[in-house]
């Protein structure tokens, strides 16, 4: 009922900076939503379910659900330190009385649930102002999307409705290698209304509050799965940090010829060859073929949302 009252219901995480600037992170399992929103320099508003009303963002969940595979205090200190009494481990192997997050003999889908207050710098009110930035996280198994790109409001709705990512090992039973998938609004299973209802409302709020929207690829670079490598956490964090501190706006942007995305030519310490995904591939013809394949998949999937009586955002893809 929330969207019918003009309140946006969202499957996303949210945090805010010391100056009160709020950011939203949309993404399916395996894209890094929980990890990237748990930022030691920002207060966590919530992990998974939020609303956006006339006053700003609010959480209506009260807890977090994180993957624990290969978890360490060095790579994800906030999540690691949140595992204490009143947290619930799921599918985690116990060796010598201690959890072993590197043991995947049972499953790669090991998890932990914990109360929001287990994150030291959580926001006690679980609320924030209107977001300055929205980040769509995708794990691109084809390795053709740039690590970060800026979206127009129309492009934002196209990618919001597409909800593209790759199912990776440990996200669902039976998934052992990345498989491309689309999930409307980055959470199709949670939508009782037509997806364009949420897209229309989100676009209205983005335009009203001048919110910036970015697409961040946490998937592959230099080639698809089996050829390239997973985007480094360091480079992904650099993308997120430069978005949140606003310095990405100082970059010069170029248009990606395959997807029409605005891609920064330089950004912090990220190598320019990584920012431009085609340059990261040794085989440029193979990149072009993979990009064409993914673009065709986007177009085919989007036909679902071009229906009578609903806003058509297909021209933005």
């Amino acid at each position: 009922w929330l969207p019918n009252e003009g309140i946006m219901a969202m499957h996303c995480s949210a945090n805010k900076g010391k100056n009160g600037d709020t950011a939203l992170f949309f993404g399916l399992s395996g894209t890094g939503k929980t990890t990237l929103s748990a930022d030691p320099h920002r207060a966590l508003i919530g992990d998974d379910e939020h609303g956006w009303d006339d006053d700003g963002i609010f959480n209506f969940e009260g807890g977090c659900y994180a993957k624990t595979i290969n978890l360490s205090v060095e790579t994800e200190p906030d999540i690691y330190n949140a595992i204490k009494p009143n947290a619930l481990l799921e599918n985690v192997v116990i060796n010598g009385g201690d959890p072993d997050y590197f043991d995947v003999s049972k499953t790669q889908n090991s998890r932990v649930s914990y109360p929001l207050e287990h994150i030291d710098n959580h926001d006690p009110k679980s609320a924030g102002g209107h977001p300055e930035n929205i980040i769509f996280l995708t794990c691109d198994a084809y390795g053709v999307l740039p690590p970060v790109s800026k979206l127009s409001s129309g492009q934002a709705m196209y990618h919001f409705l597409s909800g593209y990512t790759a199912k990776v090992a440990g996200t669902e039973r039976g998934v052992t290698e990345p498989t491309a998938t689309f999930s409307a609004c980055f959470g199709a299973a949670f939508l009782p209304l037509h997806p364009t209802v949420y897209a229309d409302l989100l676009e209205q709020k983005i335009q009203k509050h001048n919110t910036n929207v970015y697409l961040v690829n946490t998937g592959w670079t230099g080639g698809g799965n089996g050829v390239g490598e997973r985007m480094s956490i360091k480079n992904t964090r650099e993308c997120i940090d430069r978005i949140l501190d606003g310095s990405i706006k100082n970059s010069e942007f170029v248009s990606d010829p395959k997807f029409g995305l605005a891609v920064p030519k330089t950004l912090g310490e990220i190598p320019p060859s990584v920012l431009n995904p085609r340059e990261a591939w040794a085989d440029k013809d193979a990149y072009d073929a993979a990009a064409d394949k993914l673009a065709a998949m986007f177009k085919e999937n989007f036909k679902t949302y071009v229906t009578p009586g609903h806003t058509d955002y297909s021209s933005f893809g």
Side-chain angles (χ1 to χ4, degrees):
W1 57 269
L2 289 177
N4 292 327
E5 299 292 329
I7 301 171
M8 181 65 185
M10 304 171 291
H11 175 229
C12 68
S13 58
N15 65 22
K16 64 181 179 183
K18 295 179 180 179
N19 296 323
D21 56 296
T22 301
L24 303 181
F25 298 77
F26 288 83
L28 298 172
S29 181
T31 58
K33 176 170 60 67
T34 298
T35 297
L36 294 170
S37 60
D39 188 326
H41 305 294
R42 298 175 63 84
L44 183 66
I45 296 173
D47 175 54
D48 212 45
E49 306 295 338
H50 292 82
W52 185 355
D53 61 14
D54 291 339
D55 297 317
I57 302 300
F58 60 93
N59 173 257
F60 50 82
E61 183 185 33
C64 302
Y65 188 53
K67 291 169 64 66
T68 60
I69 184 172
N70 298 332
L71 179 67
S72 71
V73 68
E74 291 80 17
T75 57
E76 300 179 65
D78 291 288
I79 295 174
Y80 186 92
N81 292 323
I83 302 176
K84 51 190 176 183
N86 292 327
L88 176 64
L89 290 171
E90 175 183 329
N91 299 333
V92 175
V93 173
I94 304 298
N95 286 324
D98 296 317
D100 186 345
Y101 304 120
F102 294 86
D103 188 333
V104 296
S105 58
K106 299 297 184 182
T107 178
Q108 295 191 44
N109 191 20
S110 54
R111 303 275 184 156
V112 62
S113 300
Y114 51 87
L116 192 61
E117 57 266 25
H118 278 204
I119 297 294
D120 289 337
N121 62 333
H122 73 281
D123 182 80
K125 295 183 178 179
S126 295
H130 300 292
E132 290 189 16
N133 296 291
I134 292 177
I135 298 167
F136 295 157
L137 298 168
T138 181
C139 173
D140 174 28
Y142 290 91
V144 298
L145 293 179
V148 61
S149 52
K150 182 172 174 54
L151 306 178
S152 68
S153 63
Q155 288 176 319
M157 294 312 100
Y158 183 88
H159 284 276
F160 181 62
L161 285 170
S162 296
Y164 165 67
T165 192
K167 295 178 182 179
V168 297
T171 58
E172 291 186 16
R173 181 179 297 175
V175 176
T176 57
E177 61 182 35
T179 304
T181 188
F182 295 87
S183 181
C185 309
F186 297 98
F190 307 112
L191 308 181
L193 303 176
H194 193 282
T196 55
V197 173
Y198 301 90
D200 290 345
L201 184 55
L202 182 60
E203 185 177 42
Q204 292 170 19
K205 291 185 176 295
I206 286 172
Q207 292 178 344
K208 180 178 180 179
H209 301 290
N210 297 315
T211 303
N212 305 300
V213 186
Y214 297 89
L215 180 67
V216 171
N217 174 24
T218 63
W220 273 255
T221 180
N225 175 48
V227 178
E229 58 185 16
R230 191 74 188 261
M231 200 76 67
S232 73
I233 294 178
K234 177 184 177 182
N235 284 340
T236 297
R237 277 288 186 191
E238 183 83 5
C239 291
I240 300 298
D241 290 346
R242 299 293 77 80
I243 289 171
L244 297 179
D245 68 14
S247 61
I248 192 172
K249 296 178 182 178
N250 300 325
S251 298
E252 179 183 352
F253 289 82
V254 294
S255 179
D256 180 283
K258 295 289 184 181
F259 300 97
L261 303 170
V263 181
K265 294 178 69 174
T266 59
L267 187 66
E269 298 180 0
I270 303 174
S273 60
V274 174
L275 290 170
N276 183 331
R278 191 173 189 270
E279 291 304 312
W281 284 54
D283 187 337
K284 302 298 189 287
D285 290 338
Y287 169 85
D288 291 338
D292 288 340
K293 181 177 181 178
L294 181 59
M297 292 174 65
F298 265 100
K299 291 179 180 179
E300 182 62 28
N301 171 75
F302 210 83
K303 292 178 181 179
T304 306
Y305 310 115
V306 182
T307 54
H310 298 104
T311 307
D312 182 0
Y313 293 99
S314 60
S315 63
F316 295 100

